[in-house]
Amino acid sequence: MARILLLENPHVSADDLFARADHEIVRIDHALQGQELIKALDGVQMLGIRSKTAVTREVIEACPELVAIGAYCIGTNQVDLETANEYGIAVFNAPYANTRSVVELALCEAIALTRHLPEKNAVLHDRVWEKSAAGAHEVRGKTLGIVGYGSIGSQLSVLAEAMGMRVLFFDIAERLAIGNARRLRSLDELLASSDIVSLHVDGRPTNRNFFGRDQMDKMKPGAILINLSRGSIVDINALSDKLADGSISGAGIDVYPDEPDANGDPFDSPLIRFPNVLLTPHIGGSTVEAQESIGYFVTGKLMDYWRKGATELSVNLPHIASSPSVDSLYRVAWIHHNTPGALARVNQVFATAGANINRQILATAGEIGYMVTDLSGELPAHTVQHLSDSEQNIRLRVLKREY
């Protein structure tokens, strides 16, 4: 039985799978940081977080029992993946489970901003009736420029085209265009041609302030900017200036460079003064459907790793998806430094002990190797100790088959 700490309220669907295996679940409804997090992780083998909890080197080094981390969201930039590798901690996320929710919000904001709904709503709440078609347009026939054509950007492309929009996209990776979408080889060309620009890039450090004043200067006059991806990629002060001079006619912003840790905390931004800006509190993936899907998906990955050593779709460890064979009694799951001859040395250890190996899989990724060895007979104790004491060892787990 494992002890699991779930922070920041992942959907209760996460509890269902853990509870079926009789794991102990501890829930805290907000993010924890630093020493407070370290204290809460005492005796914990698996940690579930969302986007606010920072799992730093300090935290990982202080928590030797931690085996796996589940990020109940898309991004994993809140986890120090390099240190997780050093300590053999598997990290999982939900790269696809909330894509539809984000896409629908992006399309919703494109329509709302094109029709000037934020301003109309605010005026009517002030008890003033202003009915006018001035400046309001259909999105049909407008050009949507998508920056980042991954799982979210490409799905947005399909729905936008179904709405009658012309779709352009730019991505540094090779992406196949869907439908009538057209790939542009230059971000500048996309910005100059798009009535609405929607950003869907990841939060890697090199993307910090990726979309700044220079990019905004190249946007079509009066265009709309939507950012539902990462708060660090847009220069908020530059956007504020462009909204003030009217060169950008509206914006939909769901993520921010600095976000509160908990509901009810104060929020401030230079964008709050603009009636033509839709501000939402990082809710792109916050639908019941998406959160339920994320809960099942990430928990399923954690459980597969805990019970079988499966690392399929891990963001940091080499991928091994295979389950133990029906005649396996033990699975030795060994995370090690990827050095020449590791497989031969392991086999020599097992052969010397007379262990009966019926299957063995090795996968590598950079400096990390991951090997699972299935044994149909008893596991000699000294072989485990030998692997644990080897210079290549990072983390060794022995999993006994559950019948």
Side-chain angles (χ1 to χ4, degrees):
M1 186 180 78
R3 192 164 190 253
I4 297 108
L5 175 63
L6 297 178
L7 303 178
E8 307 178 68
N9 272 342
H11 193 273
V12 292
S13 58
D15 299 35
D16 295 341
L17 294 177
F18 287 134
R20 290 177 199 173
D22 294 325
H23 293 314
E24 179 187 356
I25 304 165
V26 178
R27 269 189 173 267
I28 298 176
D29 64 3
H30 56 272
L32 297 178
Q33 313 295 349
Q35 289 299 317
E36 191 177 16
L37 177 57
I38 291 171
K39 183 178 179 180
L41 283 170
D42 184 30
V44 168
Q45 288 76 46
M46 289 186 279
L47 169 65
I49 60 173
R50 294 178 73 183
S51 58
K52 298 295 181 214
T53 298
V55 186
T56 62
R57 174 174 288 274
E58 175 193 25
V59 170
I60 292 172
E61 289 179 342
C63 302
E65 292 185 62
L66 190 61
V67 170
I69 299 168
Y72 287 82
C73 51
I74 294 178
T76 55
N77 55 299
Q78 70 277 40
V79 180
D80 186 333
L81 296 178
E82 181 179 348
T83 306
N85 276 348
E86 291 177 21
Y87 285 82
I89 297 172
V91 181
F92 299 92
N93 66 337
Y96 312 114
N98 68 356
T99 56
R100 177 68 183 206
S101 295
V102 177
V103 166
E104 287 190 6
L105 183 59
L107 197 56
C108 166
E109 294 198 348
I111 295 170
L113 291 165
T114 304
R115 293 291 297 273
H116 295 285
L117 298 188
E119 302 96 309
K120 301 291 186 185
N121 177 68
V123 169
L124 208 55
H125 274 279
D126 284 338
R127 298 182 174 86
V128 177
W129 185 268
E130 283 189 8
K131 180 181 178 181
S132 171
H137 299 277
E138 297 177 352
V139 294
R140 181 179 57 173
K142 294 294 183 288
T143 298
L144 172 66
I146 299 174
V147 182
Y149 204 67
S151 55
I152 293 175
S154 57
Q155 192 174 157
L156 174 60
S157 171
V158 172
L159 295 188
E161 191 174 325
M163 293 284 295
M165 302 185 77
R166 173 175 176 252
V167 178
L168 307 175
F169 72 91
F170 171 79
D171 199 308
I172 59 173
E174 287 298 322
R175 305 287 189 185
L176 181 65
I178 300 174
N180 294 315
R182 186 161 67 94
R183 177 176 188 168
L184 299 183
R185 297 291 175 176
S186 162
L187 176 60
D188 290 355
E189 184 182 358
L190 179 142
L191 297 178
S193 306
S194 302
D195 301 300
I196 302 165
V197 175
S198 192
L199 306 178
H200 301 283
V201 302
D202 62 35
R204 70 186 71 182
T206 53
N207 280 340
R208 180 171 293 276
N209 287 329
F210 154 76
F211 208 85
R213 196 174 302 274
D214 288 346
Q215 289 69 38
M216 295 176 199
D217 283 342
K218 294 168 183 173
M219 289 175 64
K220 186 175 180 179
I224 290 166
L225 178 65
I226 296 173
N227 181 25
L228 308 182
S229 55
R230 298 290 184 272
S232 61
I233 71 171
V234 171
D235 183 337
I236 292 295
N237 291 319
L239 176 58
S240 179
D241 292 342
K242 292 296 180 181
L243 288 162
D245 68 22
S247 54
I248 292 179
S249 68
I253 305 296
D254 185 53
V255 287
Y256 309 89
D258 298 297
E259 298 181 0
D261 285 333
N263 288 340
D265 286 353
F267 168 77
D268 195 18
S269 169
L271 302 178
I272 62 176
R273 63 192 177 101
F274 296 103
N276 56 335
V277 176
L278 267 171
L279 299 176
T280 49
H282 203 148
I283 58 168
S286 295
T287 61
V288 172
E289 294 86 355
Q291 293 306 308
E292 182 177 9
S293 178
I294 290 170
Y296 275 113
F297 183 86
V298 176
T299 302
K301 292 302 175 187
L302 290 172
M303 289 296 298
D304 283 346
Y305 181 67
W306 179 258
R307 294 174 53 244
K308 307 174 188 176
T311 52
E312 185 181 22
L313 294 184
S314 167
V315 298
N316 64 320
L317 295 184
H319 290 181
I320 290 180
S322 175
S323 297
S325 57
V326 292
D327 54 350
S328 295
L329 183 59
Y330 291 97
R331 167 166 278 193
V332 179
W334 189 40
I335 303 169
H336 59 278
H337 296 289
N338 182 21
T339 56
L343 179 60
R345 281 189 286 273
V346 169
N347 286 337
Q348 183 178 13
V349 169
F350 283 123
T352 301
N356 186 17
I357 297 175
N358 60 5
R359 184 164 58 170
Q360 193 169 57
I361 305 171
L362 170 65
T364 60
E367 298 179 356
I368 302 295
Y370 183 45
M371 181 189 305
V372 295
T373 304
D374 292 345
L375 307 173
S376 58
E378 286 301 320
L379 174 65
H382 68 278
T383 62
V384 175
Q385 191 63 48
H386 185 94
L387 292 177
S388 182
D389 292 341
S390 70
E391 292 182 357
Q392 289 111 333
N393 181 59
I394 296 175
R395 185 183 289 267
L396 180 70
R397 299 172 62 223
V398 177
L399 311 173
K400 188 169 184 179
R401 182 172 175 80
E402 299 175 7
Y403 292 98

